[in-house]
Amino acid sequence: MLLLAIESSCDETAAAILQDDGTVLSEVVASQASLHAEYGGVVPEIASRAHLERILPVLDQVVKKSGVTLKDLDAIAVSHTPGLAGSLLVGLMAAKTLAMVLGIPLIAIDHLQAHVYACQIAHQVPIFPCVGLIVSGGHTSLYRCLNPLDFELLGTTIDDAAGEAFDKVAAMLRLPYPGGPSIQRIASQGNPHAYVFPRAYIHDKEKLRFSFSGLKTAVRYQLVGTGKQSFEHLELDDATRADIAASFQEAVVDVLATKARHALQMTGLKILCVGGGVAANAALRERLEKDSRRYHFQYYTAPLKLCTDNAVMGAIAWERFRAGEWASLDLDISPGVVRMH
Ligand code: KG4
Ligand code: ZN
């Protein structure tokens, strides 16, 4: 059985042809990072227009690379929630059109559930029930994941996502977009204890909430002082830049790892699965590895290219396919996080 999965929830136009035994016949990811770089973050209008230009070439390419034809497909799966409205619409319209023309089922993918499922795909072991930590440019949330398709929200950010903080702090340090990999690179030369940046709610064991806007402001104040100073005349030596990047990264990692541990304690679960772009961060991975040994839990994450947005994690659609949960052709997008099961 063969599935074509389409992902366009943010700024990657991705497609994959997946077999029900786990084989990936082909995959394509067209990144838009260069288009958004000069703005230091994803511009929704640019993202949706770029998806529109890329979706058909990406679909052509993924079919060509797979060695099968559209007629061989048994289902079309697509991320329809959450994400940027205009971006989601492009993937959804392409998927619906294919499902209708080919006369095969349409399967709805919850993008956040797919990020957690990426851990199962990567490790080929059952990961459910587990605590899911999703950290990306748009999300920082903890879930009790009962099974691949039933998630309960335990806590989320009250303002920015962790990836957004990486991107904005990188812009302050005049590092290229996306900020996460840039900060990780220079942080490796810095001292993570040079500055003590705030770790919001880290001691609040009752509520699993996050906040990163104060951390962003603290970095700003460290760089230019309080008040209205601008970044224009800021002169930064490499050592200070590396120390600030390392200390900022340390604060984010400390918060994410500590709150994940609180979620494990609160739920009594013994498995932690981490997905989303920030899960690619080496310092976070190292800290969670260490914590898993120290606090006796199992920690799974995916290889880097399965952490950032991709369509291979669309294999979660087989779970709905097998359960007979096919979407109707009037499936709509849900840009916000409104429904997890
Ligand atoms: O999951 P993703 O590809 O897209 C969505 O936001 O859905 O995540 C992108 C985010 C960006 O904010 C990027 O800066 C961050 O993930 N990121 C990282 C790393 N690689 C990507 N953050 C920290 N360290 C990294 N190595
Ligand atoms: Zn994502």
Side-chain angles (χ1 to χ4, degrees):
M1 297 266 262
L2 290 175
L3 177 86
L4 166 64
I6 300 175
E7 154 60 35
S8 69
S9 65
C10 188
D11 64 338
E12 328 279 358
T13 319
I17 295 189
L18 309 167
Q19 207 160 286
D20 58 346
D21 65 358
T23 311
V24 179
L25 264 54
S26 60
E27 62 176 302
V28 176
V29 180
S31 168
Q32 302 176 6
S34 60
L35 298 180
H36 302 287
E38 69 176 290
Y39 305 98
V42 178
V43 183
E45 184 61 28
I46 293 177
S48 49
R49 285 170 192 269
H51 281 304
L52 212 48
E53 285 168 12
R54 286 151 201 235
I55 188 78
L56 294 180
V58 163
L59 291 173
D60 271 346
Q61 225 182 319
V62 84
V63 172
K64 271 197 198 109
K65 277 171 73 174
S66 71
V68 299
T69 67
L70 285 176
K71 291 210 176 87
D72 298 317
L73 297 175
D74 298 286
I76 308 286
V78 63
S79 308
H80 80 118
T81 188
L84 300 172
S87 294
L88 287 167
L89 268 176
V90 176
L92 182 63
M93 288 309 146
K96 280 185 182 182
T97 308
L98 281 170
M100 191 167 68
V101 169
L102 298 169
I104 55 177
L106 177 71
I107 313 284
I109 295 174
D110 183 312
H111 180 70
L112 299 183
Q113 292 178 339
H115 268 306
V116 171
Y117 199 73
C119 299
Q120 177 151 305
I121 298 170
H123 294 272
Q124 297 287 310
V125 290
I127 58 167
F128 298 98
C130 65
V131 166
L133 169 65
I134 297 163
V135 256
S136 70
H139 307 278
T140 304
S141 309
L142 281 159
Y143 293 93
R144 186 201 305 266
C145 310
L146 297 164
N147 63 52
L149 305 176
D150 193 357
F151 284 24
E152 179 198 327
L153 184 65
L154 297 170
T156 188
T157 175
I158 61 165
D159 43 50
D160 301 328
E164 146 98 13
F166 268 99
D167 294 335
K168 292 298 177 312
V169 167
M172 290 182 212
L173 295 174
R174 303 217 180 92
L175 295 168
Y177 175 84
S182 307
I183 288 195
Q184 174 174 321
R185 207 173 315 114
I186 70 157
S188 62
Q189 272 116 55
N191 171 7
H193 307 293
Y195 303 91
V196 181
F197 289 127
R199 286 142 164 85
Y201 302 129
I202 197 163
H203 298 301
D204 181 358
K205 286 197 177 183
E206 304 299 310
K207 289 209 178 101
L208 293 169
R209 58 189 165 180
F210 299 91
S211 165
F212 294 101
S213 66
L215 173 58
K216 259 175 20 186
T217 309
V219 173
R220 186 193 157 89
Y221 285 173
Q222 186 62 50
L223 285 168
V224 294
T226 53
K228 282 199 175 151
Q229 287 90 337
S230 82
F231 286 91
E232 229 168 86
H233 306 294
L234 177 69
E235 281 180 22
L236 264 184
D237 60 87
D238 286 351
T240 310
R241 225 155 62 128
D243 282 350
I244 290 183
S247 304
F248 159 79
Q249 181 176 267
E250 178 73 10
V252 176
V253 166
D254 197 14
V255 168
L256 294 174
T258 306
K259 303 304 269 183
R261 187 155 49 80
H262 291 170
L264 288 163
Q265 282 166 354
M266 221 163 115
T267 56
L269 292 166
K270 296 275 176 246
I271 300 178
L272 173 69
C273 292
V274 188
V278 182
N281 185 269
L284 178 64
R285 293 164 90 98
E286 198 181 306
R287 165 75 184 263
L288 290 173
E289 279 290 345
K290 260 195 211 146
D291 280 8
S292 69
R293 285 192 297 270
R294 185 162 169 203
Y295 299 104
H296 311 291
F297 62 86
Q298 278 168 282
Y299 156 59
Y300 295 114
T301 191
L304 305 195
K305 72 172 194 172
L306 268 183
C307 284
T308 49
D309 286 347
N310 66 85
V312 171
M313 62 191 187
I316 191 175
W318 286 122
E319 303 281 343
R320 279 203 197 280
F321 186 87
R322 287 188 206 108
E325 290 182 26
W326 302 352
S328 79
L329 284 177
D330 61 7
L331 177 70
D332 205 352
I333 56 163
S334 286
V337 185
V338 290
R339 183 198 48 79
M340 292 305 289
H341 55 86

